[in-house]
């Protein structure tokens, strides 16, 4: 191991870590607002990459089918729930939100595809198409059990991941994709070549972490989300709708996952089932940050990325073993050092 | 209730009548989902093409049952048991990944059903209790042919990077075996997982050993990952691989980085470039026609051809086994096993097969040609 190699590995690790950081921050965001550990997060990132690749190849992405199916299911559930409660006035709004809006998104993609849009437009389309998935899944799967324990929500989340992987295979097929690099620029930093793509990934991770920080501390909506996370009942008494807060968290989270998917697509081959490992490693990072702190999650994720990179050089066969073994000391330290919260005691 | 009972009886009678017709039943397992699906799906298409090519033996119809193992060895084991115990298959064919195939082979041996493996199987079977054979060229042969080519190209020091699974071991051990007997030296043994997204660390280690050439022990799309990393680091040496890399998506994902890689592959890959007197030429063109008819797609891979050759071995042995026993009986299974192990000079699209008890593989060096990737197309390199 020479200094050159260490520098290359560190840069590779930071680039991977930045992608994990984006996903980890999204995981923490959704967890703090809805108490759901959203395992399918990595899948959303992978689906974004696959969507972009399909758009690049001028094919209608499989995501379209996924969104349409989910929108119909969510709308049906919402209509049934409202009808049972006798709130017929709210029906048009529900149909508009859960069926018409996603369909409009699909329509936009379908129409613009004919004009062979340039790269930035394709990225925007891919993000637009991926955004509705998480909120719709939230409505179909998590809203009916919103008050359940964290453990139950986690179990459902894992099941949802497997369902999504199956759907991914159905809609995207078994082959991996790699998209065109967003930039072919590169620069020398201290004698090591750093690609523009790596810089982009880092910048995106930093910008998004910063934006989230500002959003939660300085906007009313952000504060409302935090209040929901802290105490659902209390927030409801103050006139905050937990359901809506959840939807917003999922939308924001999807955007983060989508961006990480777009960034990772040119550097790695992404398969329909690549998301799981991505999500899992980001989750390790989030746990290092205690599942509550954004900077902590980001730092943890960078740590995982760098550890993985060096582990792959030292002992490539044991790479994943090393990364996931990191969890054990971290969890021990966390459980010894932290106070148990009220909620866990109640459960 | 009574109605139900009589209905059940009727259906039961129908099923009994079905099996009484004594079709030959083939249980086929492949990976239609999971990480092995990029080669498992072609295997499935190959079987459809084989059915199209020959769907009866001596007037006996062949019934094909296909199951998906999700690239998971435990699912492959369950599938094999289900096919044997519930469907009463006469022969098993499968599957796309090496670990799952080895798992199925164990079930076939235990329950005494002949099995034709379409993935490489390692080890030495017990000649007295051997129920399976393996169609593909063994990794040792694949690597031997590549290593001979490396020697011809005057390559001395070889860097190795491959999957961290049975396939990676197979290729590495094959390379090591050649190292023992002649001039090449294998310097590194780097591994990565099929789902990995970066191999920068491993490639740095390979390059630190300063190899003349790099041998890739991956398969399908993910086999391109080391090549891309080598390209990024400006590696100027030659690259070599095995037939496991040959599929259109490898070429698509590898792009410029994969240009010039030389792999040892079955002749079917370059069927139309073969000389006219080559044993595989006519048959390969027939196979392609059947494949097109069955799947409405052109063939672009070498995997589907293994299914096809497996089918040829099975139908060829079944012709002889039918003379002594009826399908669906233990005698037939035993006869089929004996006849499969008695295959002599049967030409397929990949090889000329000769099986005998005590070895899984029945191919020789006629089964391999070297092909090179030129401008995104595989070209024959005699």
């Amino acid at each position: 191991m020479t200094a050159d190699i260490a520098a290359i590995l560190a840069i590779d690790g930071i680039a991977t870590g930045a992608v994990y950081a984006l996903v980890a921050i999204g995981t923490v965001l959704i967890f703090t607002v809805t108490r759901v550990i959203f395992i399918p997060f990595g899948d959303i990132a992978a689906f974004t990459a696959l969507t972009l690749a399909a758009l690049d190849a001028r094919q209608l992405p499989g995501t379209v089918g996924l969104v349409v199916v989910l929108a119909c299911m969510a709308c049906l559930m919402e209509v049934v729930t409202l009808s049972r409660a006798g709130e017929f006035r709210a029906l048009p709004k529900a149909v508009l939100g859960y069926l018409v809006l996603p369909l409009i998104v699909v329509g936009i993609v379908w129409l613009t595809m004919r004009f062979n849009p340039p790269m930035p437009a394709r990225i925007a389309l891919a993000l637009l198409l991926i955004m509705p998935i998480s909120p719709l899944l939230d409505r179909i799967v998590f809203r009916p059990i919103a008050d359940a324990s964290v453990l139950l929500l986690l179990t459902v989340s894992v099941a949802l991941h497997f369902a999504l992987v199956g759907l991914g295979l159905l809609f995207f097929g078994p082959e991996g994709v790699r998209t065109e690099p967003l930039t072919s620029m590169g620069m020398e930093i201290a004698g090591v070549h750093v690609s523009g793509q790596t810089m982009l990934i880092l910048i995106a991770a930093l910008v998004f972490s910063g934006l989230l920080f500002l959003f939660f501390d300085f906007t009313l909506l952000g504060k409302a989300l935090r209040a929901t996370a802290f105490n659902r009942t209390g927030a409801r008494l103050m006139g905050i709708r937990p359901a809506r807060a959840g939807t917003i968290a999922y939308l924001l989270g999807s955007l983060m996952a989508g961006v990480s998917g777009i960034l990772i697509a040119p550097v790695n081959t992404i398969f329909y089932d690549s998301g799981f490992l991505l999500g899992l490693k980001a989750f390790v990072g989030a746990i290092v940050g205690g599942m509550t702190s954004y900077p902590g999650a980001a730092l943890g994720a960078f740590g995982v990325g760098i550890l993985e990179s060096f582990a792959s050089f030292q002992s490539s066969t044991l790479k994943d073993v090393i990364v996931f073994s990191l969890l054990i000391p971290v969890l021990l330290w966390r459980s010894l050092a932290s106070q148990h919260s009220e909620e866990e005691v109640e459960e | 209730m009574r109605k139900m009972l009589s209905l059940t009886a009727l259906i039961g009678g129908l099923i009994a009548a079905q099996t009484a017709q004594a079709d030959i039943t083939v249980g086929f397992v492949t990976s239609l989902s999971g990480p092995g699906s990029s080669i498992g799906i072609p295997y499935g298409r190959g079987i459809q093409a084989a059915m199209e090519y020959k769907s009866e033996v001596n007037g006996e119809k062949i019934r094909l049952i296909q199951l998906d193992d999700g690239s998971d060895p435990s699912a492959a084991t369950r599938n094999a048991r289900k096919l044997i115990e519930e469907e009463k298959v006469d022969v098993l064919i499968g599957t796309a990944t090496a670990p799952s195939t080895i798992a199925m082979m164990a079930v076939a041996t235990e329950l005494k059903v002949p099995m034709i493996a379409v993935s490489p199987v390692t080890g030495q079977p017990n000649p007295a209790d051997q129920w399976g054979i393996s169609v593909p060229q063994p990794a040792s042969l694949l690597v031997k042919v590549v290593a001979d080519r490396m020697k011809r190209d005057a390559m001395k020091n070889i860097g190795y990077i491959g999957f961290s699974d049975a396939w990676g071991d197979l290729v590495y051990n094959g390379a090591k075996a050649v190292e023992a007997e002649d001039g090449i030296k294998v310097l590194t043994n780097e591994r990565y997982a099929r789902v990995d997204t970066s191999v920068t660390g491993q490639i740095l280690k390979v390059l630190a050993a300063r190899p003349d050439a790099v041998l890739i022990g991956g398969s399908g799309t993910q086999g391109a990952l080391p090549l891309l990393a080598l390209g990024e680091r400006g590696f100027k040496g030659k690259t070599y691989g095995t037939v496991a890399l040959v599929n259109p998506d490898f070429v698509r994902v590898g792009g410029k980085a994969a240009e010039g890689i030389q792999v040892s592959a079955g002749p079917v890959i370059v069927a139309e470039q073969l000389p006219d007197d080559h044993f595989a030429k006519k048959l390969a063109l027939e196979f392609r026609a059947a494949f097109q008819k069955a799947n409405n797609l052109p063939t672009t891979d070498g995997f589907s051809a293994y299914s096809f050759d497996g089918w040829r071995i099975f139908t060829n042995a079944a012709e002889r086994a039918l003379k002594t026993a009826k399908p669906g009986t233990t005698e037939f299974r035993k006869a089929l096993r004996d006849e499969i192990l008695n295959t002599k000079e049967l030409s397929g699209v990949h090889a000329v097969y000769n099986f005998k008890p005590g070895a899984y593989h029945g191919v020789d060096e006629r089964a391999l040609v070297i092909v090179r990737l030129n401008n995104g197309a595989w070209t024959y390199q005699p």
Side-chain angles (χ1 to χ4, degrees):
Chain A
M1 169 89 66
T2 60
D4 278 359
I5 288 181
I8 295 170
L9 287 175
I11 285 164
D12 186 56
I14 288 170
T16 325
V19 171
Y20 293 158
L22 280 171
V23 178
I25 290 168
T27 309
V28 172
L29 167 75
I30 290 182
F31 177 72
T32 47
V33 175
T34 63
R35 298 179 310 120
V36 174
I37 296 171
F38 199 57
I39 301 279
F41 223 117
D43 298 323
I44 303 284
F47 287 2
T48 317
L50 289 159
T51 307
L52 183 61
L55 288 172
D56 284 349
R58 294 213 220 161
Q59 294 162 341
L60 193 64
T63 338
V64 167
L66 193 62
V67 170
V68 170
V69 170
L70 289 177
C72 292
M73 279 171 73
C75 179
L76 195 71
M77 285 178 76
E78 187 72 11
V79 166
V80 168
T81 314
L82 288 174
S83 308
R84 278 190 176 163
E87 296 179 17
F88 294 106
R89 277 207 196 142
L91 276 182
K93 206 173 154 187
V95 173
L96 184 75
Y98 284 106
L99 188 65
V100 179
L101 262 182
L103 288 184
I104 287 175
V105 167
V106 169
I108 291 172
V109 173
W110 190 69
L111 282 175
T112 33
M113 268 187 59
R114 320 198 148 227
F115 302 110
N116 195 17
M119 188 76 184
R122 286 203 297 268
I123 291 175
L125 284 181
L127 285 173
L128 197 65
L129 200 51
I130 218 79
M131 293 272 280
I133 292 182
S134 298
L136 289 172
L137 285 175
D138 170 47
R139 174 65 195 88
I140 296 167
V141 178
F142 293 112
R143 186 106 27 109
I145 50 169
D147 294 324
S149 69
V150 172
L151 183 63
L152 178 74
L153 291 170
L154 171 66
T155 314
V156 170
S157 174
V158 172
L160 182 62
H161 153 75
F162 284 110
L164 272 183
V165 166
L167 288 171
L169 177 64
L170 185 71
F171 286 118
F172 295 106
E175 283 306 337
V177 298
R178 231 181 152 94
T179 58
E180 290 300 308
L182 302 176
T183 160
S184 53
M185 285 183 1
M187 52 193 296
E188 295 275 325
I189 299 179
V192 178
H193 176 83
V194 181
S195 69
Q197 191 70 30
T198 308
M199 305 291 285
L200 266 183
I201 292 175
L202 256 179
I203 291 165
L206 293 173
V207 164
F208 272 90
S209 330
L211 280 178
L212 271 186
F213 170 74
L214 294 174
F215 171 77
F216 277 106
D217 274 26
F218 297 100
T219 67
L220 192 61
L221 191 59
K223 286 178 180 165
L225 286 189
R226 266 173 58 199
T228 317
F230 197 77
N231 187 330
R232 284 178 81 86
T233 322
R236 275 183 70 174
L237 291 172
M238 294 297 120
I240 300 166
R241 283 196 194 148
R244 212 182 103 204
T247 303
I248 290 165
Y250 276 108
L251 271 174
L252 276 176
S254 303
L255 185 64
M256 315 269 299
V259 169
S260 59
I262 299 280
L263 290 170
I264 207 171
V267 265
N268 306 313
T269 315
I270 299 289
F271 293 78
Y272 71 97
D273 60 352
S274 299
F276 188 52
L277 219 56
L278 177 74
L280 220 51
K281 283 175 179 158
F283 182 56
V284 174
I287 284 180
V288 173
M291 289 303 285
T292 45
S293 126
Y294 297 105
L299 278 177
F302 277 111
V304 170
I306 292 169
L307 179 74
E308 190 182 12
S309 175
F310 278 90
S312 72
F313 180 81
Q314 286 302 345
S315 166
S316 55
T317 33
L318 291 175
K319 189 191 69 176
D320 286 346
V321 177
I322 292 168
V323 169
F324 289 116
S325 304
L326 176 74
L327 264 181
I328 297 168
V330 167
L331 283 174
L332 280 173
W333 161 64
R334 281 267 161 208
S335 61
L336 293 172
S338 71
Q339 296 294 321
H340 287 285
S341 69
E342 285 293 304
E343 197 198 38
E344 282 168 315
V345 176
E346 277 174 29
E347 286 162 17
Chain B
M1 195 66 220
R2 239 195 158 145
K3 214 169 185 178
M4 279 291 288
L5 273 177
S6 57
L7 197 67
T8 321
L10 184 70
I11 291 168
L14 279 175
I15 291 169
Q18 269 281 311
T19 44
Q21 273 180 7
D23 293 347
I24 305 176
T25 316
V26 179
F28 176 67
V29 180
T30 185
S31 309
L32 297 173
S33 55
S37 54
S38 83
I39 59 175
I41 289 170
Y43 274 126
R45 289 184 180 145
I47 277 285
Q48 298 307 329
M51 255 315 244
E52 177 68 38
Y53 177 79
K54 192 176 173 100
S55 62
E56 50 181 42
V57 182
N58 301 357
E60 298 276 5
K61 274 213 165 37
I62 301 175
R63 194 161 66 96
L64 176 70
I65 302 163
Q66 176 172 309
L67 294 178
D68 172 25
D69 68 9
S71 313
D72 170 16
S74 58
T77 308
R78 276 198 306 277
N79 283 344
R81 281 195 183 281
K82 187 174 162 188
L83 287 167
I84 296 169
E85 285 164 356
E86 292 174 22
E87 303 287 354
K88 305 275 184 284
V89 297
D90 297 301
V91 60
L92 279 175
I93 302 180
T95 174
T97 55
S100 299
T101 308
I102 292 162
M104 276 179 75
M105 194 70 98
V107 178
T109 308
E110 179 199 338
L111 298 174
K112 308 230 176 301
V113 173
M115 164 148 175
I116 295 171
V118 288
S119 290
V121 179
T122 44
Q124 287 289 329
N126 168 8
D129 189 35
Q130 180 185 353
W131 287 86
I133 53 104
S134 174
V135 176
Q137 301 87 343
S140 54
L141 188 66
L142 284 171
V143 182
K144 188 176 176 336
V145 172
V146 166
D148 290 346
R149 182 56 57 116
M150 287 181 192
K151 253 181 29 196
R152 213 177 88 178
D153 294 347
M155 298 287 150
K156 268 250 170 305
N157 298 320
I158 311 298
Y160 174 73
I161 175 166
F163 281 157
S164 53
D165 65 5
W167 178 244
D169 292 345
L170 280 170
V171 180
Y172 180 70
N173 296 338
K176 274 294 192 197
V178 176
E179 185 183 28
E181 62 196 45
D182 46 34
I184 66 162
K185 279 238 289 284
V186 185
L187 306 171
T188 62
N189 180 14
E190 289 302 305
R191 301 304 183 87
Y192 67 106
R194 277 171 206 257
V195 286
D196 275 4
T197 46
S198 162
V199 289
T200 306
Q202 291 93 321
I203 288 298
L204 285 174
K205 201 148 182 183
V206 169
L207 292 180
R210 307 220 170 282
D212 307 325
V214 176
L215 174 66
I216 312 284
S219 70
T221 328
Q222 271 311 64
L225 196 57
L227 290 167
L228 288 155
L230 283 168
E232 273 170 26
R233 299 269 155 248
F235 178 67
K236 290 282 178 285
K238 289 196 163 171
T239 51
Y240 295 87
T242 62
V243 68
L245 296 173
V246 178
N247 82 6
D249 297 277
F250 165 81
V251 178
R252 179 174 55 85
V253 168
K256 280 195 194 70
E259 262 312 290
I261 187 169
Q262 298 190 67
V263 306
S264 55
V268 68
I269 304 284
V270 286
E272 63 285 337
Q273 302 171 33
L274 293 171
D276 278 340
D277 56 358
H278 196 283
F279 69 86
K281 174 118 182 179
K282 179 170 161 288
L283 201 58
L285 297 177
E286 282 172 11
F287 159 64
R288 288 195 176 184
F291 189 98
Q292 180 72 38
K293 205 165 153 192
N295 303 299
N296 274 326
L297 294 163
T299 53
T300 44
D301 68 285
F303 299 104
S304 50
Y306 290 132
S307 300
F308 182 80
D309 274 5
W311 193 263
R312 268 185 69 83
I313 294 165
F314 145 66
T315 50
N316 174 276
E319 274 171 23
R320 299 191 299 269
L322 278 171
K323 291 180 183 133
T324 54
K326 278 192 92 67
T329 59
T330 44
E331 293 78 30
F332 181 71
R333 289 177 189 171
K334 190 168 175 320
L336 190 57
R337 188 270 308 255
D338 294 339
E339 291 303 342
I340 288 173
L341 287 174
N342 198 9
T343 304
K344 291 273 179 291
E345 288 292 309
L346 173 72
S347 58
V349 291
H350 265 296
V352 180
Y353 298 93
N354 287 293
F355 291 105
K356 59 180 192 299
Y360 285 124
H361 292 280
V363 301
D364 47 33
E365 292 190 17
R366 282 176 295 178
L368 289 165
V369 294
I370 294 281
V371 298
R372 187 169 183 276
L373 192 61
N374 288 342
N375 303 324
W378 298 103
T379 49
Y380 181 48
Q381 297 270 321

